[in-house]
Amino acid sequence: MIPEKPIAEWQQIFLDTSFIIDYLSDANRITKNPEYKERIEITQKVMKILNAKDNSANIKRRTYYVSAITISELRRLEHDNSISKQIVLIFEAADVTFVDYTKDIANLTIRMLDESLPKGQKHQFIAYLQKELIAKNFANARQWVSDDLKIIASAKSVKNLDVVLTSDKNTFQLIANQLEIPCIAMFRDQFQFDLFGEISVLKNK
């Protein structure tokens, strides 16, 4: 689901794990995968736009939201117990809120699926996502889908959410779209570009 507001008006922004990983990556080291390199470059351009606005005078600071599930995923990847501090430092000009995965959010996950899918289709939808991941040689497909659902439910719990940013259009964004949550993946075809080839801050795709 495309966000209603353009980038210039985003205030409540939820970050998926994949987006954070790409933002912290060095595109110059990616030489054999042009699509992956472009994805990282778009991720970093989006954050540059957002940070530039946050550093302007008399501008209401944005709030970034990060799920506790994301912190757990990053710790597993980086083996670094200070990852929360690193995330706060990345967004030094903005407010960062960490969203715990509570019992209420767990119940919200189930309710969202029940309300958005035809009766009896919930398990089929989850099975389809897992099958797609397995076909792409992803390990732990079940855990992957489970974590995505938890992160998306955490995003749904945020009031007045403007957008969820992700780099995963095959699973995460597919779930977000199914649940009618505003979400953009870091791919060229999901952004409007101006005459100079820069991402438009005033128009969505």
Side-chain angles (χ1 to χ4, degrees):
M1 176 178 155
I2 298 298
E4 294 182 1
K5 298 178 181 178
I7 296 178
E9 297 177 23
W10 292 349
Q11 293 294 144
Q12 306 285 94
I13 304 167
F14 203 101
L15 306 179
D16 176 37
T17 311
S18 60
F19 179 90
I20 294 173
I21 291 172
D22 279 359
Y23 180 66
L24 295 173
S25 299
D26 184 355
N28 293 323
R29 294 186 177 184
I30 311 299
T31 58
K32 296 182 179 180
N33 190 331
E35 181 178 321
Y36 181 31
K37 180 176 182 178
E38 182 180 61
R39 196 181 78 198
I40 292 172
E41 290 172 342
I42 291 175
T43 299
Q44 294 173 348
K45 285 180 180 179
V46 167
M47 280 309 307
K48 185 177 181 180
I49 292 168
L50 295 174
N51 285 338
K53 293 282 291 182
D54 278 329
N55 285 315
S56 300
N58 301 319
I59 295 293
K60 181 182 178 182
R61 295 201 304 179
R62 292 178 169 84
T63 300
Y64 294 95
Y65 296 87
V66 178
S67 170
I69 304 300
T70 286
I71 302 301
S72 177
E73 289 179 333
L74 291 172
R75 281 177 175 164
R76 290 200 299 266
L77 290 172
E78 302 294 334
H79 305 291
D80 186 347
N81 291 326
S82 65
I83 194 70
S84 300
K85 182 178 180 181
Q86 292 181 39
I87 292 174
V88 173
L89 292 176
I90 290 170
F91 310 111
E92 59 184 25
D95 294 322
V96 179
T97 297
F98 296 99
V99 182
D100 288 333
Y101 188 70
T102 63
K103 182 178 179 180
D104 286 343
I105 293 178
N107 291 332
L108 178 61
T109 306
I110 298 170
R111 192 165 67 250
M112 284 192 310
L113 288 171
D114 286 338
E115 291 175 353
S116 67
L117 293 166
K119 188 174 182 179
Q121 294 291 309
K122 178 173 63 178
H123 296 296
Q124 291 181 20
F125 178 62
I126 293 173
Y128 165 77
L129 295 173
Q130 292 174 356
K131 184 178 179 181
E132 289 294 299
L133 287 172
I134 292 170
K136 294 179 174 66
N137 297 317
F138 282 88
N140 302 318
R142 183 175 181 179
Q143 184 66 48
W144 186 298
V145 173
S146 175
D147 285 350
D148 279 356
L149 284 167
K150 291 175 183 177
I151 293 170
I152 290 169
S154 299
K156 184 73 171 180
S157 72
V158 175
K159 294 182 179 179
N160 302 315
L161 178 70
D162 291 317
V163 67
V164 179
L165 302 181
T166 185
S167 292
D168 176 8
K169 67 178 180 180
N170 295 314
T171 306
F172 188 95
Q173 190 180 39
L174 188 63
I175 298 171
N177 288 343
Q178 181 66 50
L179 301 178
E180 298 185 344
I181 295 172
C183 180
I184 285 185
M186 301 298 107
F187 292 85
R188 176 169 285 272
D189 62 358
Q190 301 202 17
F191 290 90
Q192 183 81 25
F193 288 82
D194 62 24
L195 296 176
F196 301 99
E198 297 298 327
I199 296 173
S200 173
V201 300
L202 300 175
K203 295 180 180 179
N204 290 329
K205 190 68 177 180

